[in-house]
Amino acid sequence: MPKPETANPADRPASRRLSHLLHLARFLQPYRLQLVGAIVALTVAAATVLALGHGLRFLVDQGFGTGDAALLNRAVVVLFAVTSLMAASSYARFYLVSWVGERVVADIRKAVFDHVLRLSPRFFEVTRPGEVISRLTTDTTLLQTVVGSSVSVALRNALLLAGGTVMLVITSPKLTGLVFLVVPLVLLPIILFGRRVRRLSRASQDRVADVSDYADETLHQMQTVQAFGHEPIARARFARRIEIAFETARARIRARAALTGVVILLVFGAVSTILWIGGHDVLAGRISPGQLSAFVFYAVVVAGSVGSISE
């Protein structure tokens, strides 16, 4: 009786629904206290970054503009205090989020393994062992990246984007209007390249599963391989799968690098143009040097946030 054909990962329907990540919620529930602490630390860190822009405006207009040395000294002390608070909150955010990510992935690995043990024999006839191993190791590691860093970075940059935008409007509505004229130019490559990155990421994981499956199959039949002198063929086949996985990963890296580069070029090119326009407003007396300094600071914060979210 012929052995049933093993499942091909490419035959599975691809899903682009991020809502599937909501299934992680039940693994996060036991660590609500740590998550609340991480969110508080994240909010404080974002708030301190935004406060630095206002402090910069005050320093330029009041400290440098008036030539008051005492005021300059107080401003430096306050700046150091705010920076220390930002460092402490960033430490707390990174530690708590990373801890939760590692803990959740450990729980997920145990849950997945328990589930695999309860599956029917038919599942193991049509599914490659290497693919199951890849899901238990590589894929769960990606989940750790999502839970332990990506979500935290995305939330932090979303707060900076929202807060920075508000501060831009408060500092100079005219220049802020110019900023939003270039937003569509930034969003377009994010949409186009983002789809390709997601598609290549899935393909890269499937190719890693191919490598794991062939290695598992060869190692389990090593006595047969050695008995028939099959080592050179096994070596060549494994090398071919490794190279295919590498080429797929390289395509993913190239697409992601292109996305990051294009976004940075567009965002900071726009910041340079707005700085040029704002400089003429300062010379004409329409805004103060402190306002322009604060605006540039917030523009860089917003631009950096957009670039990070695009990744």
Side-chain angles (χ1 to χ4, degrees):
M1 183 176 180
K3 182 179 179 180
E5 184 177 356
T6 58
N8 185 351
D11 295 335
R12 295 194 305 270
S15 174
R16 298 177 180 176
R17 295 174 57 188
L18 295 179
S19 59
H20 290 315
L21 292 177
L22 294 178
H23 293 298
L24 294 174
R26 68 186 180 93
F27 293 99
L28 292 170
Q29 286 179 356
Y31 313 110
R32 291 188 295 270
L33 184 61
Q34 289 87 347
L35 287 174
V36 170
I39 292 173
V40 171
L42 185 150
T43 304
V44 172
T48 52
V49 171
L50 297 175
L52 288 176
H54 184 73
L56 178 63
R57 175 181 175 178
F58 181 80
L59 180 64
V60 172
D61 284 343
Q62 302 299 322
F64 297 145
T66 61
D68 189 342
L71 181 61
L72 178 61
N73 293 338
R74 289 196 299 272
V76 171
V77 171
V78 172
L79 179 63
F80 179 77
V82 172
T83 304
S84 299
L85 179 60
M86 179 173 60
S89 57
S90 298
Y91 166 82
R93 174 189 65 85
F94 182 83
Y95 174 80
L96 289 173
V97 170
S98 299
W99 185 92
V100 170
E102 293 288 351
R103 184 66 262 172
V104 165
V105 166
D107 294 344
I108 289 176
R109 282 175 175 156
K110 290 189 291 186
V112 171
F113 189 73
D114 291 344
H115 175 70
V116 170
L117 293 179
R118 294 194 300 267
L119 293 174
S120 67
R122 172 66 179 171
F123 172 83
F124 298 100
E125 291 178 353
V126 300
T127 305
R128 301 172 304 178
E131 184 181 348
V132 177
I133 295 172
S134 178
R135 303 311 175 200
L136 277 168
T137 55
T138 309
D139 287 8
T140 50
T141 299
L142 287 181
L143 284 178
Q144 191 277 331
T145 302
V146 172
V147 177
S149 61
S150 296
V151 171
S152 171
V153 171
L155 288 176
R156 176 179 178 274
N157 283 283
L159 287 176
L160 289 177
L161 177 59
T165 301
V166 172
M167 297 305 295
L168 284 176
V169 174
I170 294 174
T171 305
S172 176
K174 171 191 171 182
L175 295 179
T176 304
L178 295 175
V179 168
F180 283 101
L181 286 178
V182 301
V183 168
L185 295 178
V186 178
L187 291 179
L188 184 60
I190 291 176
I191 294 173
L192 295 179
F193 282 96
R195 291 176 179 174
R196 177 169 173 76
V197 169
R198 285 197 302 270
R199 185 170 63 251
L200 290 173
S201 294
R202 178 183 173 85
S204 181
Q205 286 305 108
D206 288 339
R207 299 295 75 77
V208 171
D210 291 340
V211 172
S212 299
D213 177 66
Y214 187 79
D216 178 78
E217 179 183 330
T218 303
L219 292 175
H220 276 85
Q221 302 295 329
M222 184 56 68
Q223 291 180 341
T224 304
V225 170
Q226 293 176 338
F228 286 91
H230 205 263
E231 295 95 331
I233 298 176
R235 187 180 301 115
R237 290 179 178 176
F238 184 78
R240 184 166 63 251
R241 285 168 170 78
I242 288 289
E243 290 303 317
I244 292 174
F246 170 75
E247 290 300 328
T248 306
R250 188 173 70 169
R252 172 181 56 81
I253 294 170
R254 186 165 54 240
R256 183 170 179 175
L259 170 62
T260 304
V262 169
V263 170
I264 289 175
L265 176 64
L266 292 175
V267 168
F268 286 96
V271 169
S272 300
T273 302
I274 292 169
L275 178 60
W276 176 75
I277 296 173
H280 282 280
D281 285 345
V282 171
L283 295 177
R286 288 187 286 269
I287 61 174
S288 69
Q291 282 179 290
L292 180 60
S293 300
F295 187 88
V296 171
F297 176 84
Y298 290 125
V300 171
V301 168
V302 170
S305 301
V306 173
S308 296
I309 291 174
S310 73
E311 292 185 37

